[in-house]
Amino acid sequence: MVKHIVLWNFAEGLSTEEKSEAGAKMKALLEPIRDLVPGAVDIQVIQNRLSSSNRDIALVSTFETLDALMTYQNHPAHVEAGKYVGSVTCNRTCMDYEVASK
């Protein structure tokens, strides 16, 4: 399994309401891609952060293989979602890693 975690802050100047709306739209755009990409196990957009966080929103996803992650990243629905995400976020941080077999 491969984990793909992305963290962002919302763009400067967005109000609290605009951040909430942007997070909901990111969730609506990204989570359904799970059903479009073979090997996508789970895709979650999380905006319920604690005060100890230094990022506003996260994408936490799991894929069966690295190839499935690459398919996701190049999928037209993901590319289109990425355009919106890039317009409302900044300070993107990403980590991909393989989950060790038990």
Side-chain angles (χ1 to χ4, degrees):
M1 296 288 222
V2 174
K3 287 289 211 177
H4 173 64
I5 301 171
V6 185
L7 305 169
W8 300 270
N9 284 327
F10 285 112
E12 294 283 326
L14 292 180
S15 69
T16 301
E17 183 178 333
E18 289 169 327
K19 290 176 182 179
S20 180
E21 290 170 0
K25 185 167 181 177
M26 288 172 64
K27 186 176 189 71
L29 290 170
L30 291 167
E31 289 185 355
I33 298 172
R34 181 192 72 226
D35 298 328
L36 304 175
V37 175
V41 176
D42 191 36
I43 298 175
Q44 295 180 38
V45 174
I46 303 159
Q47 192 176 354
N48 182 13
R49 66 185 182 94
L50 300 176
S51 61
S52 57
S53 300
N54 61 10
R55 292 289 190 261
D56 296 323
I57 192 160
L59 168 74
V60 179
S61 51
T62 306
F63 298 87
E64 290 177 357
T65 64
L66 184 56
D67 285 341
L69 171 59
M70 295 300 117
T71 299
Y72 162 78
Q73 290 180 327
N74 293 303
H75 192 281
H78 178 263
V79 172
E80 193 61 32
K83 292 176 187 176
Y84 175 75
V85 171
S87 75
V88 295
T89 63
C90 62
N91 301 326
R92 180 184 183 275
T93 302
C94 176
M95 182 171 181
D96 299 329
Y97 63 96
E98 288 186 280
V99 178
S101 299
K102 292 183 180 181

